[in-house]
Amino acid sequence: MILAWPWFALALALPLLVRSLPPLHRPRLHHDGFALQGPQGGLPRWYGALLWGALVLALCRPQLMGEPIVQYQGSRDLLLAVDLSDSMRTPDMFDGSQQQDRLSAVRKLIRQLILTRQGDRIALIVFADHAYLLSPLTEETQALLTLANELDFDLVGRTTALGEAIALANAHKEPDRDATLLLITDGRNTAGSADPLAQARQAVAAGLKIYTLGVGADPDSQALAPAQPDPSTELDEPLLTELATLGQGRYFRARTQDDLIAMDLSLEQLEPAARASHSYRPLTELYPWPLALFTLLLLLPMLWSGVQGRSR
């Protein structure tokens, strides 16, 4: 809490100053209907001090400062479409010396994107057998982080509907505002009736820019046991490259967690995040509360005197 006019606090000393002055020998007004006009106001000193203190506090204009609100310049719309098909379980992504599945690595990337792009509006789309909107475009960072942490294989199926994901992203962008789609997958279009290239052409005509990200280790990766299948055979890199070219974006290839970090840095250069232009803290005026207390304390003696008068 702050005081907008703190110099009014000097008025707290006025009663002491008045008491230090020589007494004035003049008759005092007295009326039973207004006890404050009687000798010594008819009230204890602590009551008068409380009354005066409430008035002075109201004059000081107390204010409650809210949390800082940052306004951004150059805000963008970013739609993240994440493949949750069964192949994303493949544990072929290295994070240093630690081996992890593809979806765990992608979760880290999405959380990083959300945290570093505050001020941008972000939407989350998940797809497998079909595509679903998990979150519309929003700046609610905490809600997006919660949803990113909850991404799981069992949400939408086992196959990959790339065309539906692009169509859904195009359907949920604002018509009069350009947007960017980051399509993250480890496979090829194996589900849905929507053709990815046809949907990409429509989306680009509507102002959607498309980046694609292929995840998964190379065929000679040592992340998998010899008995496990080639982790990259399902990745349709020619299609992802063509989608990115058609969408005036870029195709990224991520084989490790370090590749995902490098991709995040490259995307920041290609599509800079919003920059904070200025911030402010909203103020809530609190002076009505001490003013209400002052008014109540002022009226109580009058009301009490009236009650006593009627009881006689």
Side-chain angles (χ1 to χ4, degrees):
M1 187 181 74
I2 62 170
L3 300 178
W5 299 335
W7 51 85
F8 273 108
L10 297 174
L12 288 171
L14 280 178
L16 298 176
L17 181 61
V18 171
R19 288 180 61 85
S20 66
L21 296 176
L24 297 176
H25 299 286
R26 63 176 65 178
R28 298 192 180 195
L29 295 174
H30 177 70
H31 191 279
D32 291 338
F34 193 11
L36 288 180
Q37 290 181 323
Q40 296 184 1
L43 298 173
R45 289 181 179 176
W46 67 264
Y47 193 92
L50 183 61
L51 185 70
W52 184 248
L55 177 60
V56 172
L57 181 58
L59 290 173
C60 288
R61 247 184 94 196
Q63 297 173 330
L64 183 64
M65 296 186 68
E67 293 297 320
I69 296 178
V70 181
Q71 293 189 338
Y72 293 88
Q73 187 176 20
S75 175
R76 297 174 182 270
D77 288 353
L78 176 64
L79 299 101
L80 303 175
V82 185
D83 185 353
L84 296 184
S85 61
D86 205 46
S87 58
M88 292 289 284
R89 300 177 186 268
T90 308
D92 63 348
M93 301 288 287
F94 274 104
D95 183 6
S97 60
Q98 183 180 2
Q99 190 171 330
Q100 59 186 340
D101 61 72
R102 296 170 179 175
L103 182 57
S104 296
V106 169
R107 278 199 207 99
K108 293 180 181 179
L109 169 67
I110 293 174
R111 286 196 294 265
Q112 183 65 21
L113 281 171
I114 293 170
L115 288 172
T116 57
R117 303 189 76 90
Q118 297 188 37
D120 287 348
R121 298 196 308 169
I122 298 177
L124 280 178
I125 294 172
V126 293
F127 63 95
D129 295 345
H130 297 285
Y132 300 92
L133 181 69
L134 202 59
S135 169
L137 288 165
T138 180
E139 295 182 15
E140 295 295 331
T141 301
Q142 194 56 51
L144 289 167
L145 288 172
T146 300
L147 291 173
N149 291 331
E150 293 175 353
L151 292 177
D152 198 6
F153 303 105
D154 299 326
L155 288 177
V156 289
R158 302 171 66 88
T159 54
T160 308
L162 292 177
E164 285 192 15
I166 298 172
L168 189 61
N170 187 33
H172 286 278
K173 70 172 288 294
E174 287 191 6
D176 57 345
R177 183 180 170 100
D178 291 341
T180 299
L181 168 65
L182 176 60
L183 184 68
I184 306 171
T185 183
D186 68 342
R188 62 182 66 246
N189 189 56
T190 58
S193 58
D195 176 62
L197 291 175
Q199 295 300 325
R201 292 187 185 95
Q202 294 181 21
V204 171
L208 187 66
K209 193 172 185 178
I210 301 175
Y211 291 87
T212 55
L213 170 62
V215 297
D218 285 328
D220 58 350
S221 171
Q222 299 178 357
L224 299 176
Q228 289 182 282
D230 180 351
S232 64
T233 54
E234 291 300 318
L235 183 61
D236 192 348
E237 291 196 78
L239 174 61
L240 295 179
T241 303
E242 189 172 358
L243 288 173
T245 303
L246 186 64
Q248 302 175 359
R250 178 178 167 184
Y251 168 59
F252 297 96
R253 183 72 169 90
R255 300 167 179 83
T256 65
Q257 191 70 44
D258 289 340
D259 290 340
L260 291 174
I261 295 173
M263 173 265 162
D264 182 23
L265 296 175
S266 297
L267 187 63
E268 169 62 24
Q269 294 177 352
L270 295 168
E271 302 289 332
R275 296 288 182 259
S277 57
H278 67 278
S279 64
Y280 68 96
R281 302 186 69 171
L283 298 175
T284 302
E285 295 285 355
L286 301 179
Y287 73 87
W289 295 99
L291 188 60
L293 177 61
F294 169 77
T295 305
L296 179 63
L297 293 174
L298 190 65
L299 293 177
L300 274 178
M302 298 175 59
L303 295 175
W304 179 248
S305 178
V307 169
Q308 284 184 326
R310 283 194 294 270
S311 63
R312 290 193 186 120

